[in-house]
Amino acid sequence: MGLTKEEYLALENKARELRKLTIDTVMWANGGHIGGALSATDILTILYYKYMNIDVANPRWEERDRFILSKGHIGVGFAPVLADKGFFDKEMLKTYNHTFSKLGMHLDRNKVVGLDASTGSLGHGLSIALGMALGGRLQEKNFKTYCLLGDGECDEGSVWEAAMAIAHYKATNVITIIDRNKCMIDGRTEDVMNLEPFADKWTAFGFDVKVVDGHDMYALADAIEYALAAKDKPVAIIADTFKGCGVADIQDNYQYHYASVNAETGERYKKQIDEYHDSRLKN
């Protein structure tokens, strides 16, 4: 079915808003994982504003779709999504990573409404997603479990153990998405630990693999709908992205894995985000 033009425009404008809110949150926190947050914005936007079946008024609804942020350090970009959806007041974002705030650098399920799993050490999210999916299968529930991983995170062996198990159990109710921004904290992924041939690895582990432009809403929609229709094999969506996407000053620069933003820089970044999205809407 894909996206209508109206849906596409709404998602693009929402991604613009969320990128700017992420910049504000980094500024309020005096620092945050800005690069990976901005690379994942479009993926988070299309999941939460198009595909995921959730009820903000009933955040623990048993039939809801689950979302596991395995690359949990980008809470500074995920908390704005949850706030914008209405799970908690946006004013809370001003306390992000402050002492005694409910919004820590890595979000805690026991403190953050709308969060399905606490985050922290990399490499655990896909296993959690599989456990939720198998639990849903045993209970004869139809919810889907989406898991967003970082590409650098895929250096972790636990990711591949989970992948092997997902394929073995034919857990097609797990939708695996990898934010392939090709950068990590210490450099380019291919310099730190070569991942290629990345798609072939997922194929070898028993997945049906879709490689898409992770900043193209139409391409993301097609890949997600393909995954939702899967019957025999789980689907892995490799979303090619840019670290710091939308901010020309930092885009595709691994040195902005984590950064602080002051008021002047923040305004410049938000202007660049407007320019970026305006250029996309013209194409």
Side-chain angles (χ1 to χ4, degrees), residues 9-19 41 45 49 84 90:
L9 293 173
L11 289 168
E12 279 289 337
N13 283 317
K14 181 55 67 177
R16 179 202 304 256
E17 292 174 17
L18 291 171
R19 280 193 166 92
T41 300
T45 301
Y49 296 85
D84 187 72
K90 284 185 182 180

Side-chain angles (χ1 to χ4, degrees), residues 123 255 283:
Q255 293 181 354
N283 296 328

Side-chain angles (χ1 to χ4, degrees), residues 91-246:
E91 285 295 305
M92 280 182 60
L93 295 174
K94 294 179 180 179
T95 74
Y96 185 87
N97 205 36
H98 291 200
T99 303
F100 303 122
S101 172
K102 291 183 178 181
L103 301 175
M105 180 69 71
H106 291 84
L107 301 177
D108 184 335
R109 181 181 183 274
N110 294 316
K111 298 178 180 178
V112 181
V113 179
L115 192 68
D116 286 313
S118 300
T119 61
S121 298
L122 294 170
H124 297 168
L126 199 56
S127 295
I128 296 171
L130 174 59
M132 289 182 172
L134 292 179
R137 178 188 289 179
L138 288 171
Q139 295 175 54
E140 298 183 345
K141 295 187 181 298
N142 294 320
F143 65 78
K144 301 291 184 180
T145 303
Y146 296 86
C147 184
L148 179 61
L149 299 96
D151 50 2
E153 179 183 5
C154 293
D155 291 348
E156 299 280 357
S158 53
V159 170
W160 300 103
E161 292 178 31
M164 184 165 54
I166 288 170
H168 175 79
Y169 290 109
K170 294 182 169 39
T172 56
N173 53 345
V174 176
I175 297 174
T176 304
I177 306 173
I178 304 97
D179 181 9
R180 183 73 168 112
N181 62 34
K182 304 176 185 67
C183 292
M184 50 198 299
I185 191 170
D186 290 328
R188 309 286 297 183
T189 55
E190 305 315 284
D191 295 330
V192 176
M193 182 63 68
N194 188 18
L195 290 169
E196 294 296 341
F198 194 49
D200 291 347
K201 287 182 171 72
W202 288 94
T203 299
F205 272 75
F207 282 71
D208 194 351
V209 180
K210 290 290 182 183
V211 181
V212 301
D213 180 343
H215 301 306
D216 182 331
M217 294 295 186
Y218 286 116
L220 286 169
D222 288 344
I224 291 167
E225 291 187 13
Y226 183 87
L228 289 171
K231 300 297 183 186
D232 301 316
K233 277 187 174 184
V235 173
I237 300 170
I238 299 176
D240 282 327
T241 63
F242 290 104
K243 203 162 188 114
C245 180

